[in-house]
């Protein structure tokens, strides 16, 4: 459906990952004028950047699609990263979006012009264009965080971050070191343990693991999904998935409630019954509550970590030397390859692009304490700038596509004010946002994420950077913006 707007708007979408592609589909459907800026040469965002062995999306594949674009061709209940990338490439081709995306175009600054109510978007090559609306869909986890380990640059073999996977690094029959036991490190253990001569997994914190089923779909299954989309709906809307989301968000917001206790019990039983060697068991026993860190969903980690080629090293790393890693206790692990699964700078969002809004307010200044956004989507001082999967949105083991779609519905209603000529600029008031953020921070501190562990969910002050209420509360908030919380500025003239 194409609507006629009495004020044709130009939209800039930043990023051609999952959320940017969503915005592009929605804008194209409306017949709007838009450009997607993508810094890389390909679409896909995190699914383009991450190519490490074992990469699997921890949301069931049929639930990790756009709601309007189900996909019958998944190979298994949980899809590999390459498959997910293939899905997004399929969607971009189907919706004919390639021509709308400017590749190799990194946005380096956004500058608001109050008089014109427009953003100037400047690219790395120095060119600039003017837009009425900016949609920041630049992702969360895309700036690799390298560990501060002495001597890292002296390593004689290949050492690299998991999001910069080195295809030429020896793995097969090699002595491999792996630093980090987040979702990434855990998945890599399960994928390379049988290929290496020896895998030393440097684990600073052990993980709770939620056991989940994994099974392949046969060609017959896929044919059935193609013939009858109701079979796909039966999976993506199943209580097993949707019910789990609700139970999970209830659990994280009611840390002593029945749902949380049930999750803890499942994880504890899985742990107690899976690890055979008592010494390894103590190394793998977490000393914090399940789901405090992002919960590991796996069907095989505990089995695979017990493979004889794997050694879990829990000592403190003293330094990296040319031929391996020296522990604080003096032990030395000789290594050919060193993989750094040490996570990402999760507080960057659209930065390092410089963003300057009204009254010369910069994003760095506005986010000096922590990255925040009104209901995770809009920002005071920065009119007509909308974030998809921006700071303090829901985090957990569920589909961020669903979250982005709901955020889009909210954003679209605000853009509508501009489209209809009812406003030239829209942003939350400082007062409304401060009141919201005060409530959010207070609630976030009481969630399971704030129950005493380290994780990328925490901001620099130790407060969980997440939506701290239920999934349904999020759905309700996204259904309709509260316009009294917004400064809606009319067009001049
Ligand atoms: P995470 O979840 O941030 O995990 C990083 C891991 O690296 C974690 O185990 C850290 O230990 C460890 N780490 C970080 N720095 C060091 C140093 N200096 N020495 C030893 N160990 C270190 O990143 P992932 O890539 O696994 O996952 C990120 C998200 O991507 C994931 O949650 C999904 O949403 C997709 P720590 O736990 O801090 O003790």
């Amino acid at each position: 459906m194409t609507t006629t707007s009495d004020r044709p708007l130009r939209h800039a979408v930043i990023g051609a990952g999952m959320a940017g592609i969503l915005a592009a589909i929605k804008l194209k459907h409306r017949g709007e004028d838009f450009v997607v800026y993508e810094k890389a040469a390909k679409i896909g965002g995190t699914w383009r950047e991450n190519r490490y062995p074992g990469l699997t999306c921890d949301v069931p594949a049929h639930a990790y699609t756009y709601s309007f674009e189900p996909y019958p061709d998944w190979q298994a209940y949980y899809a590999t990263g390459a498959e997910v990338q293939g899905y997004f490439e399929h969607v971009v081709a189907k919706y004919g979006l390639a021509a709308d995306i400017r590749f190799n175009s990194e946005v380096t600054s956004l500058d608001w012009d109050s008089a014109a109510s427009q953003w100037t978007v400047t690219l790395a090559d120095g060119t600039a264009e003017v837009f009425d609306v900016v949609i920041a869909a630049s992702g969360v986890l895309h700036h690799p965080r390298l560990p501060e380990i002495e001597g890292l640059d002296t390593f004689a073999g290949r050492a690299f971050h998991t999001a910069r996977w080195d295809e030429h690094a020896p793995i097969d029959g090699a002595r491999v070191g792996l630093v980090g036991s987040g979702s990434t490190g855990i998945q890599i253990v399960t994928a390379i343990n049988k290929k290496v001569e020896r895998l030393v997994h440097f684990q600073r914190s052990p993980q709770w693991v939620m056991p989940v089923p994994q099974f392949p779909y046969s060609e017959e299954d896929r044919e059935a999904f193609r013939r009858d989309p109701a079979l796909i709906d039966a999976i993506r809307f199943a209580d097993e998935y949707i019910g789990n989301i609700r139970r999970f968000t209830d659990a994280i917001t009611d840390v002593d409630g029945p749902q949380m206790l049930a999750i803890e019990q499942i994880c504890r039983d899985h742990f107690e019954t899976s690890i055979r060697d008592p010494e390894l068991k103590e190394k793998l026993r977490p000393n914090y509550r399940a789901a405090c860190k992002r919960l590991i969903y796996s069907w095989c980690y505990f089995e695979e970590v017990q493979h004889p080629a794997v050694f879990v090293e829990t000592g403190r790393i003293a330094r990296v030397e040319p031929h391996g890693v020296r522990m604080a206790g003096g032990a030395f692990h000789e290594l050919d390859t060193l993989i750094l699964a040490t996570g990402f700078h999760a507080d960057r969002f659209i930065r390092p692009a410089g963003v300057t809004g009204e009254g010369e307010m910069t994003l760095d200044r506005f986010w000096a304490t922590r990255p925040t956004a009104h209901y995770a989507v809009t920002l005071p001082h920065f009119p007509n700038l909308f974030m998809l999967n921006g700071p303090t949105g829901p985090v957990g083991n569920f589909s961020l596509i669903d979250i982005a779609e709901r955020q889009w519905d909210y954003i679209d209603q605000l853009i509508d004010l501009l489209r209809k000529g009812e406003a030239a600029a829209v942003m939350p008031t400082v007062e409304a946002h401060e009141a919201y953020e005060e409530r959010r921070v207070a609630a976030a501190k009481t969630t399971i994420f704030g129950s005493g562990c380290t994780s990328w969910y925490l901001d620099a002050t130790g407060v969980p950077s997440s939506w701290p209420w239920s999934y349904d509360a999020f759905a309700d908030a996204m259904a309709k913006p509260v316009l009294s919380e917004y400064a809606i500025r009319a067009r001049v003239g």
Side-chain angles (χ1 to χ4, degrees), residues 59-72 74 77 87 217 225 228-246 399 401-402 405 471:
V59 175
H62 282 296
Y64 195 76
T65 65
Y66 299 111
S67 60
F68 49 86
E69 199 52 49
Y71 191 57
W74 298 116
Y77 186 65
Y87 169 74
Y217 291 125
F225 290 138
D228 184 4
L231 295 175
I232 295 178
D233 290 350
I235 297 170
R236 62 186 182 147
F237 301 129
D239 179 63
E240 250 174 273
Y241 176 63
I242 297 288
N244 261 341
I245 293 177
R246 290 214 160 79
S399 173
I401 303 182
D402 171 56
E405 286 191 20
Y471 176 83

Side-chain angles (χ1 to χ4, degrees), residues 451-469:
S451 65
C453 66
T454 55
S455 88
W456 67 266
Y457 288 169
L458 301 181
D459 67 29
T461 70
V463 173
S465 181
S466 66
W467 177 263
W469 301 291

Side-chain angles (χ1 to χ4, degrees), residues 141 147 179-184 204-205 293-294 341-344 454 456:
L141 302 174
V179 183
S181 49
S183 308
T184 303
R204 197 162 65 179
S205 311
K293 288 175 183 290
R294 183 184 171 98
T342 44
F344 299 84
T454 55
W456 67 266

Side-chain angles (χ1 to χ4, degrees), residues 46-47 50 52 55-56 58 141 145-149 161-163 178-187 201-207 288 293-296 315-317 340-346 396-397 400 453-457:
T46 197
W47 299 108
N50 284 283
Y52 62 80
L55 173 58
T56 308
D58 66 6
L141 302 174
R145 192 181 56 189
L146 292 172
E148 284 167 19
I149 302 176
H161 188 272
T162 50
L178 170 65
V179 183
S181 49
S183 308
T184 303
I186 298 291
Q187 291 188 340
H201 192 192
F202 298 94
Q203 174 201 269
R204 197 162 65 179
S205 311
Q207 290 278 11
Y288 57 90
K293 288 175 183 290
R294 183 184 171 98
L295 199 50
I296 304 295
R316 195 175 63 76
I317 295 173
L340 305 169
T342 44
F344 299 84
H345 294 286
N397 305 67
L400 281 184
C453 66
T454 55
S455 88
W456 67 266
Y457 288 169

